[in-house]
Coordinates of all heavy atoms in Angstrom, one line a residue:
R199 N 0.6 21.9 12.8 CA 0.4 23.3 12.4 C -0.6 24.1 13.4 O -1.2 25.2 13.1 CB -0.1 23.5 11.0 CG 1.0 23.1 10.0 CD 0.4 23.1 8.6 NE 1.4 23.0 7.6 CZ 1.4 22.3 6.5 NH1 0.2 21.7 6.2 NH2 2.3 22.3 5.6
N200 N -1.2 23.2 14.3 CA -2.2 23.6 15.2 C -3.4 24.1 14.4 O -4.0 25.1 14.9 CB -1.7 24.7 16.1 CG -0.7 24.2 17.1 OD1 -0.8 23.3 17.8 ND2 0.5 24.8 17.0
E201 N -3.6 23.4 13.4 CA -4.9 23.7 12.6 C -6.0 22.7 13.0 O -5.7 21.7 13.6 CB -4.6 23.4 11.0 CG -3.6 24.6 10.5 CD -3.1 24.2 9.1 OE1 -3.5 23.2 8.6 OE2 -2.4 25.1 8.5
P202 N -7.2 23.0 12.7 CA -8.3 22.0 12.9 C -8.1 20.7 12.2 O -7.6 20.7 11.3 CB -9.5 22.7 12.4 CG -9.2 24.1 12.1 CD -7.7 24.2 11.9
I203 N -8.4 19.6 13.1 CA -8.3 18.3 12.5 C -9.6 17.9 11.8 O -10.7 18.0 12.5 CB -8.0 17.3 13.8 CG1 -6.8 17.7 14.6 CG2 -8.0 15.8 13.3 CD1 -5.5 17.1 14.2
T204 N -9.5 17.6 10.6 CA -10.7 17.3 9.8 C -11.2 15.9 10.0 O -10.6 14.9 9.4 CB -10.4 17.5 8.2 OG1 -9.2 16.7 7.9 CG2 -10.1 18.9 8.1
L205 N -12.3 15.7 10.8 CA -12.8 14.4 11.1 C -14.0 14.2 10.1 O -14.9 14.9 10.2 CB -13.3 14.5 12.5 CG -13.3 13.2 13.4 CD1 -12.0 12.6 13.4 CD2 -13.8 13.5 14.8
F206 N -13.8 13.2 9.2 CA -14.9 12.9 8.4 C -16.1 12.1 9.0 O -15.7 11.1 9.7 CB -14.5 12.2 7.1 CG -13.4 13.0 6.3 CD1 -12.7 12.4 5.3 CD2 -13.3 14.4 6.6 CE1 -11.7 13.2 4.6 CE2 -12.2 15.1 5.7 CZ -11.5 14.5 4.8
G207 N -17.3 12.5 8.9 CA -18.4 11.8 9.6 C -18.2 12.1 11.0 O -17.7 13.3 11.4
D208 N -18.6 11.2 11.9 CA -18.6 11.5 13.4 C -17.3 10.9 14.0 O -17.0 10.9 15.2 CB -19.8 11.0 14.1 CG -19.9 9.5 14.0 OD1 -19.1 8.9 13.4 OD2 -21.0 9.1 14.5
G209 N -16.5 10.3 13.1 CA -15.2 9.7 13.5 C -15.3 8.4 14.1 O -14.3 7.9 14.7
S210 N -16.5 7.8 14.0 CA -16.7 6.5 14.7 C -16.3 5.4 13.8 O -16.3 4.2 14.2 CB -18.2 6.4 15.1 OG -19.0 6.3 14.0
Q211 N -16.1 5.7 12.4 CA -15.5 4.6 11.6 C -14.2 4.1 12.1 O -13.5 4.9 12.6 CB -15.5 5.1 10.1 CG -14.4 6.2 9.7 CD -15.0 7.6 10.0 OE1 -15.7 7.8 10.9 NE2 -14.5 8.5 9.1
T212 N -14.0 2.9 11.8 CA -12.6 2.3 12.3 C -11.6 2.0 11.2 O -12.0 1.7 10.1 CB -12.8 1.0 13.1 OG1 -13.2 0.0 12.3 CG2 -13.8 1.4 14.2
R213 N -10.3 2.0 11.5 CA -9.3 1.4 10.7 C -8.3 0.9 11.6 O -8.3 1.1 12.7 CB -8.6 2.5 10.0 CG -9.4 3.2 8.8 CD -9.8 2.4 7.6 NE -10.6 3.1 6.7 CZ -11.9 3.3 6.6 NH1 -12.6 2.9 7.7 NH2 -12.3 4.0 5.5
S214 N -7.4 -0.1 11.0 CA -6.3 -0.6 11.8 C -5.0 -0.3 11.2 O -4.8 -0.5 9.9 CB -6.5 -2.2 11.8 OG -7.9 -2.4 12.2
F215 N -4.1 0.4 11.9 CA -3.0 0.9 11.2 C -1.7 0.2 11.5 O -1.3 -0.1 12.6 CB -2.8 2.3 11.8 CG -4.0 3.2 11.5 CD1 -4.9 3.5 12.5 CD2 -4.1 3.8 10.3 CE1 -6.0 4.3 12.1 CE2 -5.3 4.6 9.9 CZ -6.3 4.8 10.9
C216 N -0.9 -0.1 10.3 CA 0.3 -0.8 10.3 C 1.4 0.1 10.2 O 1.3 0.9 9.2 CB 0.2 -1.9 9.4 SG 1.6 -3.1 9.4
Y217 N 2.4 -0.1 10.9 CA 3.7 0.8 10.7 C 4.4 0.3 9.4 O 4.5 -1.0 9.2 CB 4.6 0.9 11.9 CG 5.7 1.8 11.7 CD1 5.4 3.1 11.7 CD2 7.0 1.3 11.5 CE1 6.5 4.1 11.4 CE2 8.0 2.3 11.4 CZ 7.8 3.6 11.3 OH 8.8 4.6 11.1
V218 N 5.0 1.1 8.7 CA 5.6 0.7 7.4 C 6.6 -0.4 7.4 O 6.6 -1.3 6.6 CB 6.1 1.9 6.5 CG1 7.2 2.7 7.3 CG2 6.6 1.5 5.2
D219 N 7.5 -0.4 8.5 CA 8.6 -1.4 8.6 C 8.1 -2.7 8.8 O 8.5 -3.7 8.2 CB 9.4 -1.1 9.8 CG 10.2 0.2 9.6 OD1 10.2 0.9 8.5 OD2 11.0 0.5 10.5
D220 N 7.0 -2.8 9.7 CA 6.3 -4.2 9.8 C 5.8 -4.7 8.3 O 5.9 -5.8 8.0 CB 5.1 -4.0 10.8 CG 5.6 -4.1 12.3 OD1 6.7 -4.6 12.5 OD2 4.8 -3.5 13.0
L221 N 5.1 -3.8 7.7 CA 4.5 -4.2 6.4 C 5.6 -4.7 5.4 O 5.4 -5.8 4.8 CB 3.7 -3.0 5.8 CG 2.9 -3.6 4.6 CD1 1.6 -4.2 4.9 CD2 2.8 -2.6 3.5
I222 N 6.6 -3.9 5.3 CA 7.7 -4.3 4.3 C 8.2 -5.5 4.6 O 8.5 -6.5 3.7 CB 8.8 -3.2 4.2 CG1 8.2 -1.8 3.8 CG2 9.9 -3.5 3.2 CD1 7.5 -1.7 2.4
E223 N 8.4 -5.9 5.9 CA 8.9 -7.2 6.3 C 8.1 -8.3 5.9 O 8.5 -9.3 5.3 CB 9.0 -7.2 7.9 CG 9.3 -8.5 8.6 CD 10.9 -8.6 8.4 OE1 11.5 -7.7 8.3 OE2 11.4 -9.7 8.8
G224 N 6.7 -8.0 6.0 CA 5.6 -9.0 5.6 C 5.7 -9.2 4.0 O 5.6 -10.5 3.6
I225 N 5.8 -8.1 3.4 CA 5.9 -8.3 1.9 C 7.0 -9.2 1.4 O 6.9 -10.0 0.6 CB 6.0 -6.8 1.2 CG1 4.7 -6.0 1.4 CG2 6.4 -7.0 -0.2 CD1 4.6 -4.7 0.9
V226 N 8.2 -8.9 2.1 CA 9.5 -9.6 1.6 C 9.3 -11.1 2.0 O 9.8 -12.0 1.3 CB 10.7 -8.9 2.2 CG1 11.9 -9.8 1.9 CG2 10.8 -7.5 1.5
M227 N 8.8 -11.2 3.2 CA 8.6 -12.6 3.7 C 7.7 -13.5 2.8 O 7.9 -14.6 2.5 CB 8.0 -12.7 5.1 CG 9.1 -12.3 6.0 SD 8.4 -12.1 7.7 CE 8.6 -13.7 8.5
L228 N 6.6 -12.8 2.3 CA 5.7 -13.5 1.3 C 6.5 -13.8 0.1 O 6.3 -14.9 -0.5 CB 4.4 -12.6 1.1 CG 3.5 -13.0 0.0 CD1 2.9 -14.6 0.3 CD2 2.3 -12.1 -0.1

Side-chain angles (χ1 to χ4, degrees):
R199 292 177 170 139
N200 294 308
E201 290 170 354
I203 305 265
T204 52
L205 210 55
F206 298 168
D208 61 4
S210 63
Q211 70 273 31
T212 68
R213 295 291 186 274
S214 307
F215 299 100
C216 187
Y217 188 67
V218 61
D219 291 357
D220 281 333
L221 186 90
I222 298 298
E223 179 78 14
I225 289 179
V226 171
M227 285 172 93
L228 173 57

